Amino acid sequence: MTILVTRPSPAGEKLVNRLRTMGRVAFHSPLIEFAPGNQLAMLPNLLSSLNQQDLVFVLSQHAVNYADRALRQSATRWPDNVSYYAIGRTTGLLFHRASSLPVVYPQDGETSEMLLNLPALQRIQGKKALILRGNGGRELLAETLSERGVEVTYCECYQRSPVYYDASEQSALWQRAGIDTLVVTSGEMLQQLYQLVPDYYRNSWLLRCNLVVVSERLATLARQLGWSAIRVAENADNDALIRALQLPD
């Protein structure tokens, strides 16, 4: 098994280093890079406008890191009179370390659907919600919260942008390296990888690779694009990805 990890830095590099320590052959080619978001400077004011028991949703580790850095630079604390929710365990633990505040997250996955199923989010009419995220992304969380009577505001804490590769050169390089297993952690990156690889390499190599993804939604997208050997990790953290890569064929 020769593994290509496409998740961004630093998580992607950490995963490759762990795999190599385990004796696996692994390479890192991040498909996305990050920069501060356009609305980050507004975060202190957005947080101060929330009332007692309003809701704050943190949708990724990058949102935690960029938001916490911005608050520290403005000498602002995370307010302790609102309720915090994270998309999953890894993001939740990182937020708790940064803020020392309690945070609720789904125990069994890292999707908007699982977050919305939490009992505490069923009767929330009349509250305000602030969603900390990157540029773009799924609208399911905001739409469902609005349907439940919540006034929703976004704060774009970071921006994702694609990393550019020479398509033919990079595809040939990956194939010569013997890559036969791909780790992809978002639909955006899966589409990007599919579109990056030219038709010839796509049919002769890319779609024949084993694919490890982090949700059934991603697996469905992968099947629609033409992959057949798909494995779904329990969630998106590196521990779960390593467990998925260790499963017998």
Side-chain angles (χ1 to χ4, degrees):
M1 184 188 289
T2 302
I3 303 162
L4 176 66
V5 174
T6 64
R7 81 178 319 175
S9 302
E13 288 159 324
K14 289 177 181 175
L15 178 56
V16 166
N17 289 337
R18 287 178 62 181
L19 289 167
R20 288 175 175 172
T21 301
M22 296 164 61
R24 298 299 186 98
V25 182
F27 299 91
H28 184 221
S29 296
L31 293 173
I32 287 176
E33 57 191 0
F34 297 94
N38 288 330
Q39 297 171 314
L40 201 52
M42 299 164 56
L43 181 59
N45 287 338
L46 289 170
L47 286 170
S48 67
S49 71
L50 297 175
N51 301 317
Q52 183 92 14
Q53 298 306 308
D54 278 340
L55 316 170
V56 177
F57 292 88
V58 189
L59 298 193
S60 73
Q61 297 173 66
H62 298 288
V64 176
N65 289 329
Y66 279 101
D68 190 61
R69 194 178 309 148
L71 292 182
R72 290 176 188 275
Q73 288 171 351
S74 66
T76 307
R77 290 180 175 273
W78 290 99
D80 59 7
N81 64 336
V82 297
S83 300
Y84 292 96
Y85 294 87
I87 193 70
R89 179 177 182 273
T90 307
T91 302
L93 294 178
L94 183 65
F95 175 80
H96 178 69
R97 283 200 296 272
S99 67
S100 300
L101 294 170
V103 56
V104 179
Y105 50 85
Q107 298 294 327
D108 51 357
E110 302 193 9
T111 67
S112 298
E113 288 87 347
M114 290 171 175
L115 187 58
L116 287 161
N117 282 337
L118 291 171
L121 294 178
Q122 303 313 304
R123 292 186 172 181
I124 48 177
Q125 186 170 357
K127 296 190 177 190
K128 291 194 285 187
L130 175 62
I131 297 178
L132 310 184
R133 66 170 193 172
N135 53 315
R138 298 177 76 203
E139 305 295 337
L140 177 68
L141 179 62
E143 289 171 358
T144 307
L145 291 173
S146 296
E147 288 168 5
R148 294 179 186 177
V150 176
E151 179 188 329
V152 179
T153 304
Y154 284 122
C155 181
E156 181 195 287
C157 294
Y158 63 95
Q159 289 188 331
R160 296 182 300 273
S161 57
V163 177
Y164 289 100
Y165 294 97
D166 181 289
S168 295
E169 183 181 314
Q170 191 64 45
S171 300
L173 194 66
W174 285 332
Q175 192 170 23
R176 282 201 302 273
I179 301 291
D180 59 13
T181 303
L182 312 167
V183 176
V184 183
T185 52
S186 79
E188 181 181 3
M189 286 189 282
L190 188 64
Q191 294 271 18
Q192 191 180 331
L193 180 62
Y194 180 85
Q195 289 162 6
L196 170 70
V197 175
D199 284 351
Y200 170 74
Y201 289 111
R202 188 186 297 159
N203 295 317
S204 65
W205 164 71
L206 183 71
L207 294 174
R208 297 183 182 185
C209 287
N210 298 306
L211 180 65
V212 175
V213 296
V214 297
S215 70
E216 288 296 340
R217 183 171 58 84
L218 256 179
T220 299
L221 173 60
R223 280 189 285 271
Q224 290 168 351
L225 291 171
W227 273 279
S228 57
I230 304 165
R231 195 172 284 172
V232 181
E234 297 161 17
N235 57 58
D237 66 36
N238 281 347
D239 290 338
L241 290 168
I242 286 173
R243 286 194 295 274
L245 287 163
Q246 288 178 304
L247 288 171
D249 290 323

